[in-house]
Amino acid sequence: MDGIINNSTAKRTSSFNLFQLSRRSLCAIVTCFLLFLLAYNSSTVFYVQVPVPANSSPEISSFSTENVARKSRKLVSLSSSAKLSSSVIYAVKEETPLVKPNTQLTISRKNPNLVGLTYNSVVYRPRRERKKKSLVKVHHSGVRINEFSMRMKRFFGSKSSNSSCKFRFFMTWISSIETFGEREQFAVESLFKTHPNGCLVIMSTSMDSPSGMQVLKPFLRKGLRVTAISPDFNYLFKNTIAQAWIDSLMKGNIDPGEVSLGQNLSNLLRLGLLYKFGGIYLDTDVIVMKSFGKLRNVIGAQTIDVETRNWSRLNNAVMIFDKRHPLLYKFIEEFALTFDGNKWGHNGPYLVSRVVSRVSGRDGYNFTVLPPMAFYPVDWNRIGSLFLGPRNETHSRWLLSKLRQIQSESLAVHLWNKQSRELEVEQGSIIQHIMSDCCVFCNSYSSKL
C-alpha cells in the first residue's frame, strides 16, 4: 500500500516539475520576444531622433525671409559663414534682435522697402512685424532736434551772392545713394531751370552724407542752392496727433502692414515739412516745366469725372502750401487716425482725396484744386505714350499736338515712376522734347530716364 502511494506521489511530483519547466520555458520565450520587440523599437526611435548628417549642408545665407514660415513676424539675422546641419531643428522665435540706437531714417540697400526706426534711448521691440518690415528711426533728443532745426534755418535763412531763397522746395528720398539716378537728378535740374532762385532740401539719411553731397556737387558748382538733411520726425510733428501715432508705432501698437513702410512715411513726412516750413513739395519723378511763382495753397487733381467735370481723385506728388495751413493739419490728422498699411494709396493720394472732399466749401480752408493737365497730363496707365518716338505720319501729328498741349497747359509732368522707369526715351518723343527744354546739364543725360 505504501508503495502504491509513493509511486503516485512520485508521478505527481514529476508532473509538477514538468509543468514548472514548461512555464519557465514559456516565460523565457515571452521574455525573449519582449526583449526583441524592445530592441527593435529602440533602434527605430534612435534612428528617427538622430538622423545621419547630410552629405552637403545648405548655407545659412540662402535662408531668406521668404523661407521663414508666414506665421513668423520677425526678421532673423543669420551669419552667411555658418552652416546648417540636417540634424538641427530650427524654431523661429517671436522676438526682435536689438536694434542699434540711431537717429536717422535708414533703408536696407538689399531691399529699399526695409526701413528701420528707433529712439535714441529706447530699443524698438514691435509686438507684430510683417515680412520685410521694420520701422523708422526718429530723433528723440533735444540735441538732435536743435541740430535739425538749426540746419534748416541756416539753409533757408542764408543768402549767397548768386541766389536768394525765393522758393522753398522739398523732396524726400528713402532709398540708397546708388539709386538716386539720372531720373532723380533730372527732376532737380528741371526744378532749378524754372526756379533759379529756389532752394531745395532733400529729406534723406542716405543723401545726408559726403557721398550724397558728391551727387549734388554739380548743382553746387553752378551756385544752385540744394542740400540733403536727415529728417527729424519728432521735431516735425511735435504738438500734432502724428506725434502720438509715431510713439504707438515705436511701441509696436500699430501694424505697419504689407505696403512699404518707407512709402507711407514719405507720405507723412511731406505733410510735416510743408506744415512746419511752408513751400513746395515734389516727388523725385516730377519734371517741372514752368514757374510755380503764381501758385499758392494748391493741390492737383489726378483724374476728373467725364460727366460732371469735377475731380474724382487728387494726388500728393505735387503740393504747394503756406506754413501751418489748416488743410495740411487735416491731412496729418487723417493719416494718424485712419492709417492702414495694407492698402496702397490709402495714406497718400486717397488720403488727400478723402479730406478735401470733406472740407471743400468750409470756412477757413482756402485752397485751389488744379485740373489734371497742371501736373498729371497723362495718367499712370498711359505714361508710356510720352516716351515713344513717331511711328508713322498719323502718330507724328498726334505727338506734336500732345506736346503743344502739355507745353501750353502743364506746369509739370509726373512720370509715374514704377510704370515708366524701364522705358527708353526714344528720338522724337514728347519726353525728349521736354527734357531739351528743362535741362541744366543738357548733354549729360542718357536715353533712359
Side-chain angles (χ1 to χ4, degrees), residues 423-449:
L423 299 178
E424 298 286 340
V425 180
E426 297 184 6
Q427 290 291 326
S429 65
I430 292 174
I431 288 297
Q432 186 192 44
H433 285 288
I434 291 175
M435 291 175 70
S436 298
D437 294 337
C438 301
C439 58
V440 174
F441 312 109
C442 295
N443 298 319
S444 62
Y445 55 84
S446 68
S447 62
K448 182 174 285 188
L449 184 61

Side-chain angles (χ1 to χ4, degrees), residues 1-16:
M1 187 69 171
D2 292 336
I4 295 173
I5 293 173
N6 291 336
N7 186 39
S8 177
T9 302
K11 288 182 178 180
R12 284 198 300 269
T13 301
S14 177
S15 298
F16 178 78

